Amino acid sequence: MQGDFHGSQQLLREKIRRSLLIEAFLKSEVEEKGAVSAAEVRAYYDQNPARFQHPESFTIQTISVLPPAHATADQLKEGRTRAESALRQAKATKTPDEFGLLAEKISDDDYRVMMGQHKPLPSDQLAPPVLKALQAMKAGDVSDVIQIEQAYTIVRLDEHTPAGRAKFEDVKDELQKELPQTKKNQLRAELDKKLRENAKVEVL
């Protein structure tokens, strides 16, 4: 009080009163008006269908045999032999964990450190031979050896998600958090603009 208000309790009370008025004003004009009802959340979902569309995607695990760059014929032959051996072992696995442990042990690609697991991949991000194989598989299936240039890959399909629209129940919680914040930000920006238009600014 001594430093900021020169010992004046009156100035301190005015400062507190002003802060409380500002807080109450913001609560009335932003916080309360920024509330979004369940009906508004549903309406947003219904009116913005494009946002909730998702492409066809595949969740996969891989085991890859990668011959060296500029591999000789003998090295390519050795790679194919390794891939066939890996395939026999992969076909014997029954679960994602079993396949993943095998990937950790024998795969050459970087995904081996994640048990061969890839994040969900849209179909347009998959190599055509891999996509063709996946489209004929069901969850839990292991492909044959797929050759992509000089590399050999074995794919396990964990999940196939067809193209479609996310269900409202799956996005409702996210929207209930996002929409009020967006509305409050808009209200705050509009209020700031309005106050600046009518404000008298003094430079002291």
Side-chain angles (χ1 to χ4, degrees):
M1 189 171 70
Q2 290 293 338
D4 293 335
F5 304 105
H6 310 291
S8 171
Q9 293 186 6
Q10 181 63 30
L11 288 176
L12 175 59
R13 291 193 187 96
E14 288 297 324
K15 178 69 173 181
I16 294 172
R17 180 175 176 274
R18 181 174 181 275
S19 296
L20 292 174
L21 286 173
I22 292 172
E23 183 178 343
F25 180 70
L26 289 176
K27 182 178 179 181
S28 172
E29 296 299 314
V30 177
E31 293 298 323
E32 293 178 359
K33 291 182 179 180
V36 174
S37 68
E40 288 176 299
V41 173
R42 180 69 203 208
Y44 179 87
Y45 172 83
D46 292 337
Q47 293 165 10
N48 296 273
R51 173 179 172 181
F52 305 103
Q53 295 293 328
H54 56 75
E56 179 183 34
S57 65
F58 297 86
T59 303
I60 63 173
Q61 292 169 273
T62 57
I63 294 173
S64 299
V65 175
L66 307 176
H70 312 295
T72 64
D74 286 343
Q75 288 174 320
L76 292 175
K77 183 178 179 180
E78 179 188 356
R80 182 75 195 193
T81 300
R82 283 182 56 209
E84 294 293 347
S85 173
L87 178 63
R88 289 192 292 272
Q89 297 176 73
K91 291 284 190 180
T93 63
K94 304 298 182 184
T95 67
D97 285 346
E98 289 179 4
F99 188 96
L101 290 172
L102 182 63
E104 284 185 339
K105 182 180 178 182
I106 67 174
S107 183
D108 294 336
D109 66 34
D110 292 339
Y111 292 97
R112 66 183 181 276
V113 299
M114 295 179 286
M115 300 183 74
Q117 185 72 56
H118 296 242
K119 65 181 181 180
L121 294 167
S123 56
D124 61 0
Q125 293 184 17
L126 291 162
V130 173
L131 177 59
K132 182 178 179 180
L134 288 170
Q135 288 173 333
M137 296 164 61
K138 62 181 184 297
D141 285 351
V142 175
S143 73
D144 292 328
V145 174
I146 303 170
Q147 184 171 355
I148 305 173
E149 296 180 350
Q150 294 185 345
Y152 302 99
T153 298
I154 300 162
V155 178
R156 184 186 196 278
L157 176 59
D158 290 336
E159 184 178 1
H160 173 210
T161 304
R165 185 182 181 188
K167 295 180 180 178
F168 176 68
E169 292 73 18
D170 294 335
V171 299
K172 180 176 66 174
D173 290 346
E174 177 186 351
L175 292 176
Q176 286 175 334
K177 295 177 182 178
E178 174 191 323
L179 296 183
Q181 189 59 52
T182 299
K183 189 174 181 180
K184 289 174 186 176
N185 289 342
Q186 292 173 342
L187 288 169
R188 189 179 293 273
E190 291 169 2
L191 178 62
D192 182 70
K193 181 180 179 181
K194 181 179 178 181
L195 291 176
R196 287 181 182 275
E197 288 175 349
N198 299 317
K200 179 182 179 182
V201 179
E202 295 182 358
V203 180
L204 302 178

